[in-house]
Amino acid sequence: MSTVPNADPGEDSPAVAAVLDDLAVLAVRRLSAQGDLSLTAAATLSYLDRNGPERLSVLASRQAVTQPSMTQLVRRLEREGLVDRSADDLDGRAVRVAVTDAGRALLAERRRLRRERLTELLGTLSPDELRDLTRIAGEFLPLLRRLLQSEAGE
Amino acid sequence: MSTVPNADPGEDSPAVAAVLDDLAVLAVRRLSAQGDLSLTAAATLSYLDRNGPERLSVLASRQAVTQPSMTQLVRRLEREGLVDRSADDLDGRAVRVAVTDAGRALLAERRRLRRERLTELLGTLSPDELRDLTRIAGEFLPLLRRLLQSEAGE
DNA sequence: GGAAATTACATAGGGAGCTTATGCAACTGC
DNA sequence: GCAGTTGCATAAGCTCCCTATGTAATTTCC
């Protein structure tokens, strides 16, 4: 498959696994609000915001969902005015999906809300704990990013 | 709302919040497999495994879903033989939900699979990175757990 | 002790979001 | 220019969440 420099990572994984699990719970249970976008919807909008308009099928493989799923998602997003569809100039079959201003505004608001909720949570920690967390998060970030993106493919 | 010992978490919070947010999203995507249990299903089974049989409504509030949602989930789990239902001896209205041997076996298998996936991921790191990651994860975990339990309220 | 209120769960209906299977129109290759 | 491939849409079905509502068992209160 891919590069596997180490034969056996050993018995250390449980701690890492627990952290990842807890982070997943944090994201899904604690950070998502009521009428929030789904994970895929948010990631898709965010991708379109960062990278510009893209074809539907490309968005599907990016988000690791099937093409019909992305068709449905784009339809819902379009219905809510968050994306636009247009025909591709070069290929009559293709659909070009673009984020709208309303979509960008929603993304910004969503980010603000999630940061706010997280900041509230952080407020429950003591100053010492917060300082530790800040330091640890700073160290953890690059490693975890490498870990999680290692098989991201694209 | 709740205890807010710190008036202002300081200027570091937004940065930490951003980091945790990104990591959490990545973690969700990387950890869930194909025919995997949903977050709620896994958490419910796991809870029953650790704490023994419990009432349906208690499970619902534990998982922060509505009672009808838990009724449905338990029905699905029962259909797949992962849990048992029985009437409460003391209260004729109540339903006692218990994990079955098959449920415990599935939990074990799920843990094995996730550990396997994680091991693959960890294999892409260098020995030094792996050592750092393990150390940092060990420090991170207690803080993260405190963060997640801060407003758990039952 | 019996009617009234409450509690524990089930049911009905609906939407999001994922899947596989299939259809169709547009592009590509020979 | 027909055949095969590609890009997307549609259909049918499942999970998993919701709100609204029903029902039976328990508790409360007169």
Side-chain angles (χ1 to χ4, degrees):
Chain A
M1 297 300 152
S2 62
T3 63
V4 183
N6 304 317
D8 179 20
E11 329 221 328
D12 301 326
S13 327
V16 179
V19 168
L20 292 180
D21 268 338
D22 282 4
L23 280 172
V25 170
L26 179 71
V28 170
R29 291 272 161 86
R30 291 301 156 86
L31 254 42
S32 53
Q34 265 301 64
D36 204 7
L37 293 167
S38 74
L39 215 65
T40 305
T44 300
L45 273 188
S46 184
Y47 176 83
L48 291 173
D49 188 26
R50 287 194 315 270
N51 301 92
E54 188 57 87
R55 285 193 181 189
L56 194 143
S57 55
V58 173
L59 295 177
S61 73
R62 280 266 174 200
Q63 301 304 325
V65 298
T66 60
Q67 169 263 311
S69 297
M70 187 53 70
T71 293
Q72 282 191 339
L73 173 59
V74 167
R75 183 168 52 198
R76 284 191 301 270
L77 292 176
E78 187 186 24
R79 200 178 57 206
E80 293 172 21
L82 304 177
V83 302
D84 264 342
R85 331 163 59 121
S86 54
D88 191 301
D89 292 333
L90 303 173
D91 190 333
R93 300 165 300 179
V95 169
R96 213 186 67 128
V97 183
V99 61
T100 63
D101 287 345
R104 271 183 278 267
L106 186 68
L107 271 180
E109 173 63 7
R110 184 185 129 97
R111 271 191 290 266
R112 195 189 62 73
L113 269 175
R114 290 171 75 88
R115 304 294 193 256
E116 192 175 284
R117 282 180 62 82
L118 203 42
T119 301
E120 277 178 35
L121 278 180
L122 292 177
T124 65
L125 296 178
S126 73
D128 278 357
E129 286 174 325
L130 185 58
R131 184 170 36 71
D132 286 348
L133 182 63
T134 302
R135 175 182 54 77
I136 294 169
E139 287 187 82
F140 208 5
L141 175 64
L143 275 173
L144 217 44
R145 269 210 206 290
R146 265 216 52 194
L147 192 64
L148 293 172
Q149 286 175 350
S150 64
E151 66 170 77
E154 306 305 288
Chain B
M1 301 297 158
S2 61
T3 62
V4 182
N6 306 317
D8 180 18
E11 326 226 326
D12 292 332
S13 291
V16 176
V19 167
L20 292 182
D21 193 4
D22 286 354
L23 290 180
V25 170
L26 289 173
V28 168
R29 304 231 116 171
R30 289 286 153 205
L31 279 169
S32 50
Q34 260 303 66
D36 205 7
L37 293 167
S38 74
L39 209 68
T40 306
T44 300
L45 272 189
S46 182
Y47 176 83
L48 291 173
D49 188 26
R50 286 194 317 270
N51 301 94
E54 187 57 271
R55 287 192 178 189
L56 194 144
S57 55
V58 173
L59 296 177
S61 73
R62 278 267 170 197
Q63 301 303 326
V65 298
T66 59
Q67 170 263 311
S69 296
M70 186 52 71
T71 293
Q72 279 195 337
L73 173 59
V74 167
R75 184 167 51 198
R76 284 192 301 270
L77 293 176
E78 186 186 25
R79 200 178 56 207
E80 294 173 21
L82 305 177
V83 302
D84 264 342
R85 329 164 61 121
S86 53
D88 191 300
D89 292 333
L90 302 172
D91 191 334
R93 300 166 300 179
V95 169
R96 213 185 67 129
V97 183
V99 62
T100 63
D101 286 344
R104 270 181 281 266
L106 186 70
L107 273 179
E109 173 62 8
R110 182 184 132 98
R111 272 190 290 266
R112 197 190 62 75
L113 269 175
R114 290 167 78 87
R115 200 159 45 233
E116 196 173 280
R117 279 177 62 82
L118 191 59
T119 300
E120 279 178 33
L121 282 178
L122 293 177
T124 65
L125 295 179
S126 75
D128 278 356
E129 286 174 326
L130 185 58
R131 184 171 36 72
D132 286 348
L133 182 62
T134 303
R135 175 181 55 76
I136 295 168
E139 289 186 83
F140 204 171
L141 197 51
L143 281 170
L144 211 48
R145 288 226 196 280
R146 267 221 51 195
L147 209 55
L148 287 172
Q149 285 170 356
S150 64
E151 67 172 79
E154 303 309 285

